[in-house]
Structures are given as structure tokens and as C-alpha cells.
């Protein structure tokens, strides 16, 4: 049975932002240019998973467009989507990635500020905050002390209250890019976490 728009639970839908749109598909392969279907790459807005996407031939999309990738019955402009690694992205998708991640963090500031409020120890010697680029023992302890007094409510407040913590949002962008690029990272804080929790 196909669900109607009103029956569908939007919380089960997975949305992604288009990183690159190739109207005539990939340039490799033996098919004629006009035979190729539009394809592209997208970034999951919740867990930063990367996807290669086959798009509906009747739609023209721009970089930055949000699309539904899961479940299949909720898709409107997406024909198919499958996870890919960072190295599989087009050069266009690579160049857009940092900007799209920054936009998602800005749009969901409360969620990412809460990471600084709620980060926990991973082991006796390693804290989640230490996974962030440039945050060593001194900055970590300063963040922990400040959040005991009162939770942080914005990135600006984080910068004001924690001496030496500059651009806390950009630090998160760097970490997310690191998690996307490096398959061998032992700990992942942002990439793939939402998908794991939904399965």
C-alpha cells in the first residue's frame, strides 16, 4: 500500500543537500551524451553521509537543493541513491562540501552547540572534545568548567566565555571533513551517527 503525504511520518525521511548536479550524467562510459541520465552527489543533512544520486530526467536541480533520499516512496526528484566514499565524489562536490557543512551547522546551531554542552569522555584519557581540531587538554578543561556554570546557548557565547576558543563552528566543520575523508578514524562523532541510531 502506498502511503499518502499525510500518512507518511516525516521523521523517518532522510534528506540530503545536492553537492553537484551533472545534467548529462558522468562523462565516462560509452553512452552518447543525450542518452545519459542526470546524476550527482548529495550530503545527508543529519549524519553527513555522502550519496551518489540518480535524478529524475524531467527535473533540473541546482547545487544546494534539498532532496528526499529515503524512503524510496517519499522521493520526488530522486530515482535512486546509494552511499559513496569521499574519494568517489566529483571535483565539484568536493569544492562545495565545506560550504554545505558550514550552512548545515549554522542552520542547526542549537544541535551543534549542544555537542559542546554534552560531549563526554570516551576513555579515561580521551574526551570527545579532544577529537576536535585544536582542542587540547587546556581548552577542553576550560569548556568543561564553563558549561558546569551554565550551558552554552550559541557559538558566540562559547567564544566569549572560553578564552582561546575561536570559531567553534569552524572547528566542527573541520572535524566533519576529517571524518568524511579518513576511513581509518577510530572514533566518529558526527558522520554516520544518525544512520546508526535509526537502524
Amino acid at each position: 500500500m502506498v502511503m499518502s503525504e499525510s500518512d507518511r511520518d516525516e521523521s523517518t525521511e532522510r534528506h540530503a543537500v545536492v553537492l553537484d548536479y551533472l545534467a548529462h550524467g558522468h562523462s565516462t562510459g560509452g553512452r552518447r551524451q543525450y542518452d545519459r541520465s542526470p546524476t550527482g552527489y548529495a550530503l545527508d543533512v543529519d549524519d553527513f553521509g555522502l550519496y551518489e544520486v540518480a535524478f529524475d530526467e524531467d527535473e533540473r536541480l541546482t547545487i544546494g537543493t534539498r532532496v528526499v533520499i529515503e524512503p524510496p516512496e517519499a522521493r520526488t526528484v530522486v530515482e535512486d541513491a546509494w552511499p559513496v566514499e569521499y574519494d568517489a565524489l566529483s571535483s565539484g562536490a568536493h569544492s562545495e562540501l565545506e560550504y554545505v557543512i558550514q550552512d548545515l551547522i549554522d542552520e542547526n546551531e542549537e544541535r551543534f552547540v549542544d555537542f559542546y554542552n554534552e560531549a563526554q569522555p570516551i576513555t579515561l584519557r580521551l574526551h570527545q572534545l579532544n577529537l576536535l581540531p585544536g582542542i587540547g587538554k587546556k581548552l577542553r578543561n576550560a569548556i568543561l568548567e564553563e558549561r558546569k556554570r551554565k550551558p552554552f546557548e550559541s557559538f558566540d557565547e562559547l567564544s566569549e566565555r572560553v578564552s582561546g576558543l575561536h570559531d567553534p563552528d569552524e572547528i566542527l566543520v573541520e572535524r566533519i571533513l576529517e571524518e568524511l575523508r579518513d576511513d581509518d578514524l577510530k572514533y566518529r562523532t558526527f558522520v554516520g551517527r544518525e544512520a546508526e541510531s535509526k537502524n
Side-chain angles (χ1 to χ4, degrees):
M1 184 175 92
V2 177
M3 289 185 288
S4 71
E5 291 294 325
S6 57
D7 293 338
R8 193 181 301 126
D9 179 4
E10 287 192 11
S11 67
T12 62
E13 290 182 2
R14 300 192 68 77
H15 296 252
V17 178
V18 176
L19 296 169
D20 197 8
Y21 178 75
L22 307 165
H24 302 290
H26 295 290
S27 57
T28 55
R31 298 169 70 191
R32 290 194 187 97
Q33 195 71 17
Y34 58 78
D35 285 339
R36 296 193 192 123
S37 300
T39 188
Y41 298 93
L43 178 74
D44 190 298
V45 301
D46 291 319
D47 74 355
F48 301 101
L50 296 169
Y51 290 86
E52 184 169 350
V53 184
F55 294 110
D56 186 323
E57 292 186 20
D58 297 327
E59 299 288 340
R60 300 290 291 183
L61 298 178
T62 56
I63 292 165
T65 302
R66 288 197 182 214
V67 296
V68 177
I69 50 174
E70 296 293 344
E73 63 270 16
R75 295 172 181 162
T76 54
V77 298
V78 170
E79 295 284 323
D80 201 0
W82 51 96
V84 293
E85 301 294 329
Y86 176 85
D87 290 340
L89 295 179
S90 64
S91 58
H94 277 147
S95 63
E96 289 297 322
L97 192 55
E98 182 176 345
Y99 303 108
V100 171
I101 292 170
Q102 181 72 61
D103 286 346
L104 289 173
I105 288 174
D106 291 345
E107 287 170 23
N108 298 283
E109 183 170 355
E110 184 180 346
R111 170 189 166 192
F112 291 100
V113 169
D114 278 347
F115 171 76
Y116 285 97
N117 286 323
E118 298 166 4
Q120 297 297 317
I122 298 170
T123 67
L124 288 173
R125 295 183 178 197
L126 183 65
H127 197 281
Q128 279 184 312
L129 289 170
N130 294 128
L131 299 178
L132 300 181
I135 295 192
K137 189 175 178 182
K138 185 178 174 186
L139 263 182
R140 176 200 69 200
N141 290 343
I143 293 167
L144 294 176
E145 280 303 310
E146 275 298 320
R147 79 182 193 186
K148 274 185 205 169
R149 294 190 180 97
K150 178 170 135 349
F152 303 107
E153 293 183 9
S154 69
F155 289 128
D156 286 343
E157 191 184 325
L158 260 160
S159 296
E160 288 164 16
R161 289 171 53 194
V162 181
S163 177
L165 182 63
H166 309 293
D167 304 314
D169 54 335
E170 290 177 22
I171 290 171
L172 296 177
V173 173
E174 284 182 52
R175 176 61 192 185
I176 291 165
L177 284 168
E178 188 180 346
E179 290 185 19
L180 286 169
R181 288 176 183 141
D182 189 347
D183 291 338
D184 299 326
L185 277 184
K186 186 171 184 183
Y187 300 108
R188 291 184 187 279
T189 304
F190 302 101
V191 175
R193 301 306 291 247
E194 292 286 326
E196 288 169 16
S197 67
K198 290 190 180 190
N199 290 338

